[in-house]
């Protein structure tokens, strides 16, 4: 592959893989890389405990009490949480159906890793597969990002039902890292594809050309004197 296109494609895939892997680890292991979070100005309740903030990750949620202490649930696929107002008179549910789809993140990470490994090859067929795999990883990341948006919108809608809390819901760092990873995967797929095309064009122009003879061998040439 042409060197000018090979190196950027590999770099795009490498950065996208690192970002996607960090988002896939997420809560409760990387507590700063949540998908969505809500701050409660007047305090909320989760399992009878007063909280000032709750964060939603791929595998768990973490909540912070009035003293700043953090409590995270055990990591598992698809979790749910009940949030109450300070008086415990109103309750909203963030069900497992809204967090179960977050497991697409590690799947997209695995496909991105496969594309990254294939991008190092100089074989034309493998580089073509690397481009296709990059676009497939981008599709999975797009699905994961859509699920992130749905969780954020649903969380914001639910907590706004609780009176007296003045909640502030916003996307977490993991939300934006997923978006950046999506853009990088699209760029990687394009650069690998264009690099393969440029290589084919350069290979085609490198074939030796043989000049055609300009000497005429017509009928009158038989009568010419040697």
């Amino acid at each position: 592959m042409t060197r000018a296109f090979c190196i950027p494609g590999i770099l795009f895939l490498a950065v996208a893989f690192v970002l996607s892997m960090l988002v896939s680890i997420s809560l409760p292991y990387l507590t700063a890389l949540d998908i969505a979070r809500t701050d409660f100005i007047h305090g909320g309740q989760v399992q009878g405990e007063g909280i000032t903030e709750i964060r939603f990750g791929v595998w768990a949620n973490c909540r912070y009490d009035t003293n700043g202490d953090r409590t995270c649930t055990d990591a598992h696929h698809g979790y749910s949480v009940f949030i109450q107002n300070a008086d415990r008179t109103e309750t909203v549910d963030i069900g497992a159906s809204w967090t179960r789809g977050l497991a697409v993140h590690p799947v997209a990470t695995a496909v991105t890793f496969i594309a990254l490994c294939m991008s190092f090859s100089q074989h034309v067929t493998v580089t073509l597969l690397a481009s296709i795999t990059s676009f497939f990883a981008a599709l999975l990341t797009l699905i994961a990002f859509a699920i992130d948006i749905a969780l954020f919108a649903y969380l914001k809608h639910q907590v706004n039902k609780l009176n007296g809390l003045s909640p502030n819901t916003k996307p977490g760092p993991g939300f934006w890292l997923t978006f950046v990873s999506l853009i990088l995967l699209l760029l990687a797929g394009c650069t690998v594809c264009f690099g393969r095309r440029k290589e084919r064009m350069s290979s085609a122009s490198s074939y030796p050309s043989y000049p055609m003879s300009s000497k005429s061998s017509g009928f009158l040439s038989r009568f010419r004197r040697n």
Side-chain angles (χ1 to χ4, degrees):
M1 183 185 299
T2 304
R3 197 68 177 173
F5 286 90
C6 178
I7 296 178
I10 294 176
L11 291 178
F12 288 149
L13 282 172
V15 176
F17 169 68
V18 172
L19 296 181
S20 182
M21 181 178 63
L22 291 176
V23 176
S24 298
I25 297 174
S26 190
L27 277 62
Y29 310 107
L30 299 177
T31 55
L33 297 181
D34 51 303
I35 303 299
R37 62 179 63 179
T38 298
D39 296 321
F40 301 99
I41 298 177
H42 300 295
Q45 295 279 335
V46 173
Q47 296 181 351
E49 298 178 358
I51 62 171
T52 58
E53 182 183 27
I54 185 169
R55 300 180 181 182
F56 290 80
V58 174
W59 308 110
N61 68 83
C62 293
R63 51 190 182 269
Y64 295 78
D65 60 21
T66 55
N67 297 322
D69 296 329
R70 181 179 64 242
T71 302
C72 297
T73 59
D74 296 333
H76 60 277
H77 175 219
Y79 59 89
S80 60
V81 58
F82 294 91
I83 305 174
Q84 297 176 311
N85 60 357
D87 299 329
R88 302 184 187 178
T89 57
E90 298 175 338
T91 303
V92 294
D93 175 27
I94 309 299
S97 59
W98 293 93
T99 59
R100 190 175 294 114
L102 297 174
V104 177
H105 281 280
V107 178
T109 302
V111 177
T112 302
F113 178 73
I114 295 174
L116 175 61
C117 292
M118 290 192 296
S119 67
F120 288 97
S121 175
Q122 295 296 320
H123 195 277
V124 176
T125 303
V126 178
T127 54
L128 175 61
L129 291 176
S131 178
I132 296 175
T133 308
S134 297
F135 285 122
F136 181 56
L139 175 61
L140 292 175
T141 304
L142 177 62
I143 295 174
F145 188 60
I147 295 173
D148 295 347
I149 295 175
L151 174 62
F152 164 72
Y154 183 73
L155 174 63
K156 184 179 180 66
H157 173 73
Q158 288 294 92
V159 295
N160 284 339
K161 294 180 180 179
L162 300 174
N163 296 320
L165 293 184
S166 300
N168 178 27
T169 304
K170 55 187 176 182
F175 182 95
W176 299 114
L177 290 183
T178 302
F179 178 71
V180 174
S181 179
L182 172 62
I183 300 300
L184 291 175
L185 286 172
L186 291 175
L187 292 175
C190 291
T191 52
V192 172
C193 182
F194 291 157
R196 179 179 179 273
R197 181 180 179 183
K198 192 174 182 67
E199 181 187 24
R200 292 181 61 184
M201 293 176 63
S202 61
S203 299
S205 61
S206 63
Y207 285 110
S209 58
Y210 300 96
M212 297 183 63
S213 176
S214 59
K215 187 176 181 180
S216 176
S217 57
F219 176 77
L220 296 178
S221 63
R222 300 179 181 180
F223 300 96
R224 293 178 181 174
R225 180 178 298 177
N226 296 328

